[in-house]
Amino acid sequence: MYKLLYIVLDGLGDRPCRDLNGKTPLEAAETPNMDKLASLGKSGIVDTVGPGIAPESDIAVISILGYDAEKYYTGRGPLECYAIGIDVKPGDLAFRVNFATMDENRYLSDRRAGRDLSTEEAKALAEEVNNKVKLTSHPAEFKFVSTVGHRGVLWIRCKEGPLSANITNTDPAYDKIGYFGVAKEKFEPYLQVCKPLDDSIEARRAADLTNEFVEKSHIVLNNAEVNLKRKAQGKMMGNVILTRDAGDRLPQFPDIKKLFGLNFACFAEMPVEMGIAMLTGMDIVELPEPTGDPEVDYPLRVEKTVEYMNRYDALYIHLKGPDIPGHDGKAIEKRDSISAIDKYFFGGLLPRINLSDVVMAITADHSTPCDLRAHSDDPVPLLIVGAGIESDGTLNYSERECSKGSLGRLLGNQLMPLFVKLIGKGED
């Protein structure tokens, strides 16, 4: 059996950009290594969850790992809480949250507090909220934990009884369809009131506690020393918490090793991918928080890839890079992020592996077009190369070129069965 290297470039897909003379960031990037791989392999495009769905990262990753997201997904909050060690029991309420910047009219000038809130600043703000906010609308306890930068999680347990995740988001950028969080292409940037989506006491309690937390934490954050210092420096304050993607229980995924017969390890930078990996039975490769310097971050991941290839049947490698400038609408920065991955990750990895011994798959979890600054339903490019795979004549790795490839248009949950079939060809 061959080894599997499954490499996902977060938010890679895009649309033609004016700043790039009508090219997508991937088309405009310097990608000699990925283009060489494309010329040796087969390509296609993927609707990671389904046509017409602009997925969040969680349901997209669940799908491209071979699971039915509609069957197993219980919200992003429980995944991220689990990744950082918070025990989510049935009836607890768990959210993914952002620090954001809000004025006195509830207008959100930035949903990510300028995207320059350091992890250390966020940790200090979270500690102040935990120390000063008390929930009284219903007897309840909570934990608010910052994770990476402006991101965090919120966990609430009510002493009166269970809570329901069948409530709306306070983050205006995301809608909710069942348990699925879906990015909106357009929205009014104002803090939303959390509302129950049914008439159950569990949903009403959950909405009450969510709104109480958001309002009381806003008062604390508005007067926090960290934020006052940021304001004096001309930076945006992280003075409100946006909640989204509530869940009231952990998902019960079948173990990925039993499902596909592969011993898997995961390289991930964000809690959502770590939570999914842990709950599906993958081992987590410990990595330091990214420095933001590709010359430092990607060679380290190359070293770890080479090391862990000897220990595992399959490696799932999730690289965040392209998604962030996509959300910020910065096409040139997204192009440069892709170029850096090609140079420092693939450029360092390819001389150190033998393609005849592995099947390498390169794709994305979703598209994040710069003109939208949000996820879209555009399919993402897929490349499969390595042992026993013949070229289909693909010229380069890009959205348009991959759409002509012999693999056609696939669904995300079709990928893992395809990869398992290909690596199985290495069995004696």
Side-chain angles (χ1 to χ4, degrees):
M1 185 170 72
Y2 301 122
K3 301 280 188 175
L4 173 64
L5 289 181
Y6 191 179
I7 301 166
V8 173
L9 309 184
D10 200 313
L12 177 69
D14 214 301
R15 299 171 180 176
C17 297
R18 182 181 303 173
D19 289 347
L20 300 174
N21 298 317
K23 293 183 177 181
T24 70
L26 177 57
E27 290 173 329
E30 293 290 332
T31 54
N33 295 296
M34 286 190 280
D35 291 345
K36 177 65 175 178
L37 291 171
S39 72
L40 298 173
K42 298 182 186 298
S43 66
I45 54 174
V46 182
D47 295 293
T48 57
V49 176
I53 297 174
E56 286 198 58
S57 295
D58 46 16
I59 59 172
V61 170
I62 289 168
S63 296
I64 64 177
L65 288 176
Y67 296 91
D68 182 345
E70 191 167 349
K71 181 177 180 180
Y72 294 109
Y73 184 67
T74 63
R76 183 165 179 164
L79 297 171
E80 299 208 17
C81 281
Y82 186 82
I84 64 167
I86 295 178
D87 187 21
V88 180
K89 301 288 188 184
D92 292 348
L93 191 63
F95 294 98
R96 157 65 194 273
V97 303
N98 276 9
F99 285 95
T101 306
M102 185 176 76
D103 69 13
E104 63 275 9
N105 298 313
R106 301 174 73 87
Y107 175 78
L108 299 167
S109 53
D110 196 292
R111 292 182 46 260
R112 302 177 184 88
R115 209 192 270 282
D116 62 356
L117 188 69
S118 71
T119 298
E120 292 73 23
E121 288 176 316
K123 184 177 180 180
L125 291 173
E127 185 176 354
E128 193 157 351
V129 168
N130 285 318
N131 288 336
K132 294 183 178 180
V133 170
K134 306 296 178 187
L135 299 179
T136 58
S137 59
H138 303 275
E141 57 182 320
F142 73 90
K143 293 178 184 176
F144 171 44
V145 182
S146 63
T147 54
V148 180
H150 60 270
R151 307 165 186 87
V153 298
L154 172 64
W155 167 92
I156 303 175
R157 178 174 291 165
C158 184
K159 298 175 183 177
E160 284 182 351
L163 302 172
S164 169
N166 199 25
I167 55 177
T168 62
N169 299 323
T170 64
D171 187 335
Y174 292 90
D175 207 348
K176 191 170 183 180
I177 302 174
Y179 274 109
F180 283 3
V182 178
K184 297 179 183 177
E185 287 199 7
K186 296 181 180 179
F187 62 91
E188 292 294 321
Y190 289 88
L191 177 69
Q192 301 298 294
V193 174
C194 179
K195 299 176 182 179
L197 291 170
D198 60 49
D199 197 37
S200 68
I201 184 62
E202 292 84 0
R204 294 200 304 272
R205 274 196 297 249
D208 289 344
L209 288 165
T210 302
N211 288 322
E212 182 184 9
F213 175 84
V214 171
E215 296 298 335
K216 287 185 173 179
S217 62
H218 170 56
I219 294 171
V220 171
L221 291 169
N222 231 7
N223 296 287
E225 183 179 347
V226 167
N227 275 326
L228 295 177
K229 184 176 180 180
R230 285 177 62 83
K231 184 177 181 180
Q233 294 171 339
K235 296 180 179 180
M236 291 185 172
M237 295 198 297
N239 67 348
V240 70
I241 304 302
L242 303 182
T243 63
R244 75 178 201 250
D245 304 331
D248 52 30
R249 65 186 188 278
L250 286 171
Q252 302 296 316
F253 295 111
D255 186 275
I256 198 165
K257 184 174 182 180
K258 295 179 181 177
L259 192 61
F260 296 114
L262 299 174
N263 191 17
F264 248 108
C266 173
F267 294 54
E269 300 172 5
M270 295 295 165
V272 63
E273 287 88 21
M274 292 181 189
I276 293 168
M278 293 163 67
L279 286 163
T280 56
M282 292 188 194
D283 291 341
I284 302 295
V285 177
E286 294 293 334
L287 295 167
E289 184 177 330
T291 66
D293 183 348
E295 293 187 56
V296 174
D297 296 333
Y298 294 131
L300 173 62
R301 281 152 180 77
V302 169
E303 292 296 328
K304 292 289 187 180
T305 299
V306 173
E307 176 186 350
Y308 279 80
M309 278 182 65
N310 297 321
R311 306 185 196 177
Y312 290 88
D313 304 320
L315 300 181
Y316 177 79
I317 301 170
H318 195 109
L319 302 178
K320 182 69 175 172
D323 187 53
I324 294 173
H327 278 292
D328 291 340
K330 298 178 178 178
I332 292 173
E333 287 189 16
K334 185 171 180 179
R335 176 202 66 189
D336 293 346
S337 172
I338 296 166
S339 297
I341 290 173
D342 188 84
K343 181 176 182 179
Y344 297 111
F345 181 75
F346 288 103
L349 179 64
L350 295 183
R352 300 186 61 182
I353 64 172
N354 187 343
L355 275 179
S356 64
D357 296 332
V358 303
V359 169
M360 182 185 295
I362 307 170
T363 189
D365 51 353
H366 54 78
S367 293
T368 309
C370 293
D371 63 345
L372 291 182
R373 301 188 177 208
H375 299 185
S376 74
D377 62 0
D378 297 278
V380 298
L382 169 68
L383 163 65
I384 306 176
V385 63
I389 298 171
E390 297 181 357
S391 171
D392 65 1
T394 299
L395 299 177
N396 57 63
Y397 185 56
S398 68
E399 297 91 343
R400 275 182 269 217
E401 186 65 16
C402 287
S403 69
K404 308 171 189 175
S406 63
L407 296 174
R409 189 163 182 167
L410 303 171
L411 290 175
N413 61 11
Q414 295 176 311
L415 297 184
M416 277 301 301
L418 173 61
F419 302 158
V420 169
K421 180 179 178 181
L422 291 172
I423 64 175
K425 291 181 178 179
E427 294 176 334
D428 294 328

